[in-house]
Amino acid sequence: MIAYRFLTEDDTSAFCHKVTEALSKGWVLYGAPSYAYDAGRGVMRCGQAVTKEVEGPYSPDVKLGQL
């Protein structure tokens, strides 16, 4: 199965650390990063999709961050 996650964070180094951690655990970048203004909070937000090939069937109970 291919697992999919969309990582988001404010536009700070925390976003880069979140993506780097996922890559270090075997996740692979999927597409280009996104960047948008969150008017409600007044901050820029970043997003990046990542995928990972994992064993077993899909279940909605899967904890994607633990893969």
Side-chain angles (χ1 to χ4, degrees):
M1 153 180 104
I2 296 176
Y4 172 91
R5 293 174 67 193
F6 188 71
L7 307 173
T8 62
E9 185 66 55
D10 289 351
D11 182 22
T12 66
S13 63
F15 174 73
C16 295
H17 286 287
K18 186 181 280 191
V19 173
T20 300
E21 179 182 23
L23 295 174
S24 75
K25 292 180 177 180
W27 292 85
V28 177
L29 298 176
Y30 182 82
S34 61
Y35 194 61
Y37 183 67
D38 180 343
R41 294 182 49 235
V43 297
M44 293 301 291
R45 300 273 299 167
C46 299
Q48 175 66 57
V50 292
T51 61
K52 184 177 185 180
E53 183 75 36
V54 295
E55 295 292 323
Y58 170 74
S59 166
D61 297 327
V62 147
K63 303 292 186 223
L64 295 172
Q66 295 176 0
L67 293 177

